[in-house]
Amino acid sequence: MITITLAVLCGVLVGSVLGTLGAGGSVLTVPALIYLLGLAPASATTASLFIVSVTSIAALCVHARGGHVRWKKGLLFAAAGIVPAAVTGLASTRLPEQLLIAAFALLAAQAAIMMLRPSTPAVACHTAGPVKTAGTGAGLGAVTGLLGVGGGFLVVPALVSVLSFNMRAAVGTSLLVIITNSLASLAARASTITALPWAIVLPFTAAAVSASWLGKRVGGNVSSTVLQRVFAGILLLVAAAMLADAAL
């Protein structure tokens, strides 16, 4: 019962962050599953992809109703990452665990720095062409598959900094990309799904879905600048903790 309660509490935290920021779910889910709920790293990354996929679908519905999803570029961005996510998802099983953790932490830190940098206001979302959109999506899809995460902590900065999305459009559209990349990565790990501890995963997922709706309401009352700073702060904290773990 204690484990289930802890899974629900973790799910509430992850869902709130994902619903508010459109990202950060896997960054928090993987450490929670490993360090609080006792899952092995391989099982934790697969379970995280399932949890974040389902939660992102729920959060996407809310953001879409608010008009914060750029469907055309979001679908192109997401489609470009499907094959790279599946291929690197298979390759990741052959790499040392500590190397993956260190790579994850460095990328999270880089994404945080991108979000904290002063930038000129984004112009219209149509400034980036299809080639640039697809190229960025393919690169992030590869990272998603390699690290076993939904990739929102990289997608949001890319949509803001590379494709000139405003923050709210980036948050909503990132969910579409997260869903696509996560499902592609899950397909590459299909043989391990049946072995997941569903007594932990399902309560975690249900709590995350419920909390994602609350997170969206909270995010709607907070300025884009504050969202960016909160997002960057979360990434920096997670990056520091994971680098420390990789060094041990």
Side-chain angles (χ1 to χ4, degrees):
M1 181 61 69
I2 294 177
T3 301
I4 294 176
T5 301
L6 188 57
V8 169
L9 293 175
C10 290
V12 169
L13 174 61
V14 168
S16 298
V17 171
L18 190 60
T20 303
L21 303 177
S26 293
V27 175
L28 299 176
T29 301
V30 173
L33 290 170
I34 294 174
Y35 299 116
L36 298 179
L37 297 171
L39 271 67
S43 295
T45 54
T46 302
S48 173
L49 289 168
F50 174 84
I51 293 166
V52 172
S53 295
V54 175
T55 308
S56 296
I57 291 172
L60 177 65
C61 294
V62 179
H63 282 270
R65 283 201 295 269
H68 299 142
V69 180
R70 302 293 182 259
W71 292 100
K72 186 176 180 180
K73 285 204 170 179
L75 287 171
L76 175 59
F77 193 102
I82 292 176
V83 173
V87 171
T88 56
L90 291 173
S92 68
T93 60
R94 302 185 180 183
L95 295 177
E97 180 180 308
Q98 295 304 102
L99 176 61
L100 292 176
I101 291 175
F104 184 108
L106 290 174
L107 283 169
Q110 181 181 0
I113 292 170
M114 288 172 63
M115 299 302 289
L116 288 173
R117 261 185 211 156
S119 59
T120 56
V123 290
C125 293
H126 60 268
T127 52
V131 174
K132 186 176 183 180
T133 302
T136 306
L140 291 179
V143 173
T144 294
L146 185 66
L147 300 180
V149 298
F153 69 102
L154 294 174
V155 175
V156 171
L159 293 176
V160 172
S161 302
V162 179
L163 303 184
S164 298
F165 278 40
N166 63 61
M167 187 60 179
R168 296 213 183 279
V171 168
T173 307
S174 74
L175 293 165
L176 179 62
V177 180
I178 290 169
I179 293 164
T180 304
N181 286 346
S182 296
L183 291 177
S185 298
L186 270 177
R189 301 162 183 250
S191 61
T192 65
I193 293 177
T194 56
L196 291 179
W198 291 105
I200 293 175
V201 173
L202 291 180
F204 195 126
T205 305
V209 169
S210 299
S212 70
W213 297 78
L214 176 61
K216 172 58 179 67
R217 292 187 178 183
V218 172
N221 296 321
V222 182
S223 72
S224 295
T225 300
V226 172
L227 285 178
Q228 285 184 257
R229 289 175 179 172
V230 170
F231 185 29
I234 291 173
L235 292 185
L236 287 173
L237 288 173
V238 171
M242 297 191 79
L243 278 175
D245 183 45
L248 296 178

